[in-house]
Amino acid sequence: MMERLIRWTFGVSGRDEYQKAELNKILSGSAVLVYWLLYLGMFASLIIDGFWTHYVTAGSMILVIIALVWGIIINVQIRKHGLYQIEAANEEDLQKIYRRINFQAVRDTIIAGISGYAGWSLVSFAMSAQYRPTIRETVVFMVVFVGVYAVTTWRYRRRQVIKAWEDN
C-alpha cells in the first residue's frame, strides 16, 4: 500500500536501491517535521480556543485526535520492530547511552507534562462549566501523571540497551 501511495504521489516507480534509500530518508525526515508541526498547531489551536473563544472547537479536537493516534501508531510500530533497542559495545558506550537516555527521559517527561496538563485542562473545561478542579486536584494529578510517566519511560528505555560484550 505504501509503495502505491509513493508511486501515485511521486510518479515513476522502479527505482534502484540508492534512490529508494534516499527517498525513504527524505520522506521520514518530512514525516517527523510534519508530526511536530501538527503538534505545535494542536497546542496553538487549544490555546486560541481557551483564551479567545472559551470553548473547544471541533477543529481542535480533530487535531488532538490525529496527533495522539499518529503518535501511538508510530510508537507501536517502533516497539513492534524492536527499533528502540540500542547496542553498547563496551562499558564506556553504555555510560554514554545511559546519559543520553536520562536526557531523553527528562525531555519527554517535560513534553508529556505539558500535554498532560493541556489534556487535564481540556477535559475539566469541556466537562462542566460549574465545576472547576481545585489547584490541589490539578497539582496532585500532574505530580502523579508526570512521576509515573518519567519512571516508566526511563525504565523502559534503559531495559532496551543491549550489552554486546556480555553476549556469547
Side-chain angles (χ1 to χ4, degrees):
M1 164 115 170
M2 192 57 68
E3 185 66 34
R4 286 184 179 176
L5 280 175
I6 292 171
R7 188 175 3 155
W8 185 69
T9 305
F10 299 109
V12 181
S13 64
R15 303 181 195 296
D16 63 5
E17 291 300 317
Y18 172 76
Q19 289 173 329
K20 284 182 182 179
E22 286 298 311
L23 185 61
N24 286 338
K25 188 167 74 170
I26 291 168
L27 290 176
S28 66
S30 65
V32 170
L33 179 65
V34 168
Y35 176 76
W36 282 105
L37 289 174
L38 174 69
Y39 213 74
L40 289 173
M42 176 191 70
F43 276 126
S45 179
L46 288 173
I47 289 169
I48 290 169
D49 285 352
F51 286 118
W52 282 287
T53 63
H54 299 294
Y55 61 89
V56 180
T57 61
S60 295
M61 291 309 299
I62 290 170
L63 284 176
V64 168
I65 291 168
I66 289 171
L68 290 176
V69 169
W70 194 1
I72 289 169
I73 288 171
I74 290 171
N75 199 3
V76 166
Q77 290 296 318
I78 288 173
R79 286 182 184 200
K80 185 172 122 181
H81 294 290
L83 298 176
Y84 272 132
Q85 294 180 343
I86 302 170
E87 189 170 302
N90 54 33
E91 192 69 38
E92 183 180 321
D93 282 348
L94 181 68
Q95 294 308 316
K96 287 180 186 176
I97 290 169
Y98 280 167
R99 280 195 300 272
R100 191 172 71 222
I101 287 172
N102 292 342
F103 172 75
Q104 289 172 348
V106 168
R107 181 200 62 209
D108 291 349
T109 300
I110 291 169
I111 292 170
I114 293 169
S115 302
Y117 181 73
W120 172 262
S121 300
L122 184 65
V123 167
S124 65
F125 183 77
M127 291 307 240
S128 172
Q130 287 79 25
Y131 174 73
R132 297 280 183 229
T134 63
I135 297 293
R136 183 179 185 282
E137 290 171 340
T138 303
V139 168
V140 166
F141 170 77
M142 289 308 299
V143 166
V144 170
F145 174 78
V146 168
V148 168
Y149 183 86
V151 169
T152 55
T153 300
W154 181 76
R155 288 184 67 217
Y156 176 78
R157 293 212 176 149
R158 285 181 75 102
R159 280 192 304 226
Q160 296 304 311
V161 177
I162 299 169
K163 299 174 184 173
W165 69 91
E166 292 181 357
D167 291 342
N168 293 353

